[in-house]
Amino acid sequence: MDDDLASVQTLVTSCKECGARTISSYHDDPQCNGLVIEVDGTFQCVECGVRIQPRGMCPSCGETASTEITRSVVSLQPLISSSKIATKLGVELQQGYSKELKEDSTLSAIASDHVSRVVEQSYFKSGSQESNLSSQLEAQSFPLGAFQTYSLQSYPDGETTTAIAKEVYSDFLTEFPDPNRELTHFGLAVEWDPKGGLHVGVIVAERLVSLSDDFNPAILEQAIHDKTNEHRTSHGYSSLKYDTHLSSIARSHSREMAIQGFFSHESPDGITTMDRYQQANFDSRWSGENIAKQSFASTTEVEMAAADVVEGWMNSPGHRENILTDGFEVEGIGLYQASDGAVFVTQNFG
């Protein structure tokens, strides 16, 4: 056996429910990430000395999982913290791209999940399916425009965090991402495998968010109201007055859709538009409701965002009918931003 390698007892978690076979041989702590081995019948981290309690729960699906001891070949070379390498590599990536890139924690989490899968597949080779970073990203229903991904494996010669990060960047990433693409955010993850290989996953993307961090939803609500009246007057109908009572009903429904993860006029518990009117003591003989779910680039102007929402409604027969109904006299708009950046819009008429 190579002088830099040894055989030790490590721990693996297996789940019969979802089929996941998960490496438990690294301390699950971003500040440490040291190798976990069996010593005198107990498991401990060789880097910080903390004793590790074997998991009884699958980290993938949450079901009860079994643990087993597996003899593994590992590197005897001291491993530098992977999280620190990731931080330095992120700096190299930001400096190498011609435009500003902001780090995104959700993109990094997706990259981390991918890298963990790659290490598991390349080392344990059982109970796993091939992992593809692009496919994992697309499966997240994450609000992105253009994006690029890169996965790599390296056995760096550097002996410091900075040296390893620079080596990996110069060997693999000097032409990534494409400088001709309009990309705004990045996420990356780094993980050592037991044999001393360094695995890296990188995502760069045009992150779609709700306009800007300091955006006031009331401004866009008013702009959508104004744009709605432009369409009504251009078709010969009177303008609608803005009703704050209806606006609160609309905002409540947008919030419910964003938090509970549905997109419908009827809530999962069967509450309808008229039910919401009655629960809020809004007196109306009939109701009308338009809903939209949008993702905007951070540079989108308010007027353009409002136009996108209302044009979408005007291109949908049912929503168009609500906007161009002569019997409605008032309306209210309510916005709510979901945790992934998507904006839910509800428009209620009365």
Side-chain angles (χ1 to χ4, degrees), residues 44-77:
Q44 67 182 52
C45 173
V46 298
E47 185 164 330
C48 68
V50 170
R51 288 192 176 187
I52 306 298
Q53 182 67 32
R55 296 175 179 173
M57 183 179 71
C58 174
S60 297
C61 70
E63 294 294 329
T64 301
S66 61
T67 56
E68 61 184 271
I69 299 172
T70 302
R71 180 160 291 280
S72 304
V73 176
V74 299
S75 172
L76 296 178
Q77 296 290 339

Side-chain angles (χ1 to χ4, degrees), residues 293-310:
K293 180 182 179 182
Q294 299 275 126
S295 291
F296 303 110
S298 57
T299 55
T300 303
E301 298 290 339
V302 171
E303 288 298 317
M304 182 62 70
D308 286 345
V309 171
V310 179

Side-chain angles (χ1 to χ4, degrees), residues 273 277 286-290 322 328 347-350:
T273 303
Y277 280 35
W286 57 78
S287 64
E289 183 174 82
N290 289 343
N322 281 335
F328 290 138
Q347 178 181 48
N348 284 128
F349 299 89

Side-chain angles (χ1 to χ4, degrees), residues 326-347:
D326 191 35
F328 290 138
E329 299 177 346
V330 295
E331 67 146 4
I333 310 290
L335 271 65
Y336 194 87
Q337 180 185 358
S339 58
D340 65 2
V343 177
F344 287 78
V345 185
T346 301
Q347 178 181 48

